[in-house]
Amino acid sequence: MVSSVALASALTGSWRAFGMWSSEGWSDTGDGWLFWLTWASDPGGRRLWMAAALAFAAVVLAALTKSNRLSPLRTYSAAIDWISRPLICALCLMLAVMPLAMARILAPNTEDKPTVVFILLDSIRLDHVGWGGSELDTTPRLDALARSGAAFTQTITQASWTKPSIGTLMTSQVPSTHEATTRTTFLNPKMRTIGESFAAGGYRTLALSSNPNITPSFGFAPGFEYFVHDATSTAEPLIATAKEWLSAGSDRASFLYLHLNDAHYPYDPAPKYAGMFNHTGVEAHLDGPSEEEFRQTQGETFSAEEVESLRLSYAEEIRYLDDQVGALVEELLASRDDILVVIVSDHGEEFLDHGDLGHGHSLYDELILVPMQFAWSPALGEKMGWSAGIHGEQVRHLDVLPTLLDAAGLEWPSAARAMQGATLTPFFARAENLRDRPAFSETDHKGSMISGYAGALRAFRSDGYKMVVSALWQELVPERGWLFHLVGDPGERRNIGKANLELFQQLRARMNTEGWAVDRDMNAIVSAELSQAEQKMLDELGYATGGEDSGPHESSFMAPAAVPWMELGD
């Protein structure tokens, strides 16, 4: 039995680790230690019990058939006797414990490295947090943390919905490069991720996610020793798990990814928070089907008063997250001197800003301008030479991974695809000559009947302007484009492209020549296999119909708040 259980653990674990090693390209990037870590982290409790039960049955059968004269049964009994020898048992046990020993021997030293906590607040737009300009008292605790840390008022996401946005945060690559851009596609396994980076640096790693897009099925698990996904969970139990894990004694530094989905629709705040801001007396409920119905009925299913009720309930959910996350971060900073925290959103939400609801369908700022802030233990800040500040320079999601690796003193292997972002630590040190960074965003959503079937879009922001154009791979004729002067028109109400066609083309040329826009073969996309439960949860959150395809879509209707595109000719 001992031999069987040991082999069940060792052989199955090694096979799974070898599969990860091959698919993730760990040998190419020098991350071979992750093979031993993956093997050591996969003892397989359930399969060990099954192996023990089967071994017990095999031993009983061997005892019953030992004196049987039939040759096959005698051979079977002899084999059981052989594998039961003490030497064989010892060898099997050595094989089972070898990955644990190798992982410990080869683990990089993380002494004096900070514990890094990455908190993702799903669906929060910048102007709905206090330090980002909210007229409501949504984030008093995060506001205080922003004043004592670093906050960025011009953080641009590289996508307007969750999966491609998180893919960028985890790889420092634009969505079309990491390829997790549609409802069923997964992260390219050859992309080196944040989990792999910290694990390869010797960190213990944990991911906690309540969003149905951020799961092992979509390729986000590599590098995480433990990946816990519960799409029904609120922030409280996930934060409790995070605190317990962070407080567990270990001789390795820790990296935690905590993805909280509470602010995502249906905007159903906890009883304690319901009515804090929403005094409209109007009941409204938004989910995936009702969002689609709103668009198909050209906006008739939600009145302006109902949308305002949704927005205020959304603000109440943000206040709930402020209390939960604020308490966690305050406790960590007060109790430990090695903590670095980043708090960022993946995308915003639209509440009729341009006539639509939800996210993913456009690249307006209500969807791609998000809050991002860093907090650190005072002792760590003093050691690193960091000082507090709120920064107005334009930065990107692409910059988060390089920043965390820089702060942790971790290297990016030259054999891995180069990160497209750059560290933000010069802002923490209040360096001189800090400038806006050009920002690219994309969505493969076809658009909507409300804000216009513009097709998949690509955007480029630089020097106070924002250029948006339909994606090249659609072969959409005529192409569609927008140009906004963000300084004079921050709400993006006026498309000035026709009057400034040369500037539009200059920004478009920069987007292409600098390598931001990636031409993709959409017919070559491989989809993940999802369970019925996973598909149901995606449907409820508005990810049922897909929204992405390569064909043009036409509609004579556009909401009054939508901004018409200009046609760029045949």
Side-chain angles (χ1 to χ4, degrees):
M1 287 182 63
V2 172
S3 297
S4 298
V5 172
L7 286 173
S9 175
L11 297 181
T12 308
S14 65
W15 179 252
R16 292 180 177 177
F18 178 76
M20 292 289 290
W21 176 80
S22 301
S23 63
E24 299 294 325
W26 289 338
S27 60
D28 298 332
T29 56
D31 293 326
W33 179 68
L34 294 181
F35 167 79
W36 296 103
L37 180 65
T38 303
W39 187 359
S41 302
D42 185 26
R46 182 180 179 186
R47 70 170 178 265
L48 297 189
W49 280 109
M50 294 175 62
L54 290 172
F56 178 76
V59 168
V60 171
L61 181 61
L64 294 175
T65 60
K66 192 168 186 178
S67 61
N68 196 293
R69 296 183 177 180
L70 292 176
S71 177
L73 293 178
R74 288 202 308 272
T75 303
Y76 167 75
S77 297
I80 295 297
D81 288 341
W82 184 82
I83 202 173
S84 301
R85 293 177 179 178
L87 179 59
I88 301 301
C89 289
L91 291 174
C92 291
L93 283 173
M94 287 178 60
L95 183 62
V97 301
M98 181 175 65
L100 298 173
M102 293 297 295
R104 180 168 291 274
I105 292 170
L106 297 175
N109 184 12
T110 60
E111 186 178 358
D112 295 331
K113 289 192 180 297
T115 284
V116 179
V117 178
F118 189 139
I119 301 176
L120 194 292
L121 303 181
D122 203 290
S123 307
I124 296 182
R125 50 191 278 177
L126 176 68
D127 61 5
H128 276 57
V129 300
W131 63 263
S134 176
E135 80 281 9
L136 301 170
D137 190 24
T138 52
T139 55
R141 302 179 92 153
L142 294 183
D143 294 349
L145 290 169
R147 289 190 293 270
S148 61
F152 294 85
T153 62
Q154 290 293 310
T155 301
I156 307 303
T157 74
Q158 275 56 81
S160 56
W161 66 283
T162 299
K163 190 196 297 182
S165 182
I166 302 303
T168 292
L169 285 166
M170 288 195 172
T171 64
S172 191
Q173 305 292 336
V174 297
S176 286
T177 297
H178 67 62
E179 299 181 2
T181 63
T182 70
R183 307 308 185 191
T184 58
T185 49
F186 48 82
L187 204 64
N188 184 331
K190 296 301 182 182
M191 295 291 112
R192 195 174 195 255
T193 65
I194 197 168
E196 292 170 320
S197 301
F198 276 92
Y203 276 67
R204 58 197 289 259
T205 55
L206 170 67
L208 301 170
S209 169
S210 57
N211 186 289
N213 285 292
I214 309 307
T215 69
S217 298
F218 289 125
F220 291 99
F224 289 106
E225 294 175 73
Y226 306 99
F227 195 111
V228 179
H229 173 252
D230 183 357
T232 65
S233 180
T234 61
E236 289 172 77
L238 291 181
I239 288 176
T241 300
K243 290 170 64 176
E244 180 180 0
W245 182 78
L246 286 170
S247 64
S250 175
D251 57 356
R252 295 160 56 199
S254 302
F255 173 73
L256 168 70
Y257 175 77
L258 177 61
H259 191 129
L260 303 177
N261 209 47
D262 300 78
H264 196 290
Y265 63 56
Y267 314 132
D268 185 17
K272 178 182 176 181
Y273 297 83
M276 182 176 288
F277 305 128
N278 190 352
H279 307 299
T280 64
V282 176
E283 291 189 8
H285 176 87
L286 181 67
D287 57 15
S290 61
E291 179 189 39
E292 184 66 20
E293 184 181 9
F294 169 78
R295 290 170 176 168
Q296 293 298 327
T297 60
Q298 300 180 357
E300 294 182 359
T301 53
F302 285 102
S303 65
E305 292 77 15
E306 288 173 320
V307 173
E308 179 64 5
S309 176
L310 292 173
R311 187 186 72 85
L312 293 171
S313 293
Y314 165 74
E316 291 166 351
E317 291 187 323
I318 296 174
R319 180 58 181 266
Y320 163 77
L321 283 173
D322 180 74
D323 279 342
Q324 296 299 320
V325 172
L328 169 64
V329 177
E330 290 163 5
E331 180 180 334
L332 290 174
L333 298 185
S335 62
R336 300 177 57 162
D337 59 7
D338 65 339
I339 296 292
L340 171 63
V341 181
V342 58
I343 306 169
V344 65
S345 179
D346 52 347
H347 59 78
E349 288 286 274
E350 182 175 354
F351 295 98
L352 301 183
D353 302 74
H354 289 89
D356 222 322
L357 294 174
H359 50 267
H361 53 278
S362 77
L363 295 176
Y364 290 115
D365 272 8
E366 58 265 19
L367 300 188
I368 65 170
L369 183 60
V370 298
M372 179 169 69
Q373 62 187 103
F374 292 81
W376 50 76
S377 301
L380 178 63
E382 183 177 356
K383 173 184 174 182
M384 303 294 287
W386 297 340
S387 57
I390 295 181
H391 306 279
E393 292 87 353
Q394 179 172 281
V395 296
R396 304 81 54 98
H397 268 180
L398 290 164
D399 301 325
V400 173
L401 176 54
T403 302
L404 298 182
L405 295 183
D406 183 23
L410 299 179
E411 299 293 330
W412 185 262
S414 58
R417 187 182 182 95
M419 293 182 290
Q420 292 184 290
T423 181
L424 297 170
T425 53
F427 289 92
F428 303 170
R430 307 305 293 268
E432 297 180 358
N433 300 320
L434 297 172
R435 300 179 179 179
D436 287 351
R437 300 179 177 185
F440 170 81
S441 303
E442 64 177 275
T443 179
D444 282 346
H445 198 286
K446 67 186 178 185
S448 84
M449 186 179 293
I450 296 293
S451 52
Y453 280 132
L457 300 174
R458 304 293 184 261
F460 185 71
R461 299 167 60 106
S462 184
D463 302 320
Y465 288 91
K466 178 178 178 181
M467 184 278 307
V468 186
V469 67
S470 50
L472 290 175
W473 53 257
Q474 296 176 109
E475 299 181 353
L476 191 62
V477 179
E479 293 177 295
R480 299 162 181 182
W482 296 257
L483 181 66
F484 299 106
H485 184 214
L486 299 173
V487 178
D489 179 26
E492 299 168 290
R493 303 295 178 189
R494 299 184 298 277
N495 184 357
I496 62 171
K498 286 185 178 180
N500 299 271
L501 191 57
E502 183 177 354
L503 175 59
F504 175 92
Q505 296 293 8
Q506 288 174 356
L507 290 171
R508 184 180 184 182
R510 279 190 60 193
M511 179 183 73
N512 293 327
T513 58
E514 293 176 14
W516 299 109
V518 178
D519 193 10
R520 298 185 65 194
D521 181 3
M522 300 301 286
N523 295 321
I525 285 178
V526 179
S527 297
E529 295 184 7
L530 304 178
S531 68
Q532 290 185 344
E534 289 174 318
Q535 187 61 57
K536 180 181 178 182
M537 185 60 65
L538 288 169
D539 292 352
E540 291 173 352
L541 290 180
Y543 304 120
T545 58
E548 320 90 352
D549 57 47
S550 58
H553 294 263
E554 304 297 338
S555 173
S556 59
F557 176 83
M558 287 183 70
V563 180
W565 56 74
M566 64 173 176
E567 296 186 346
L568 298 175
D570 298 339

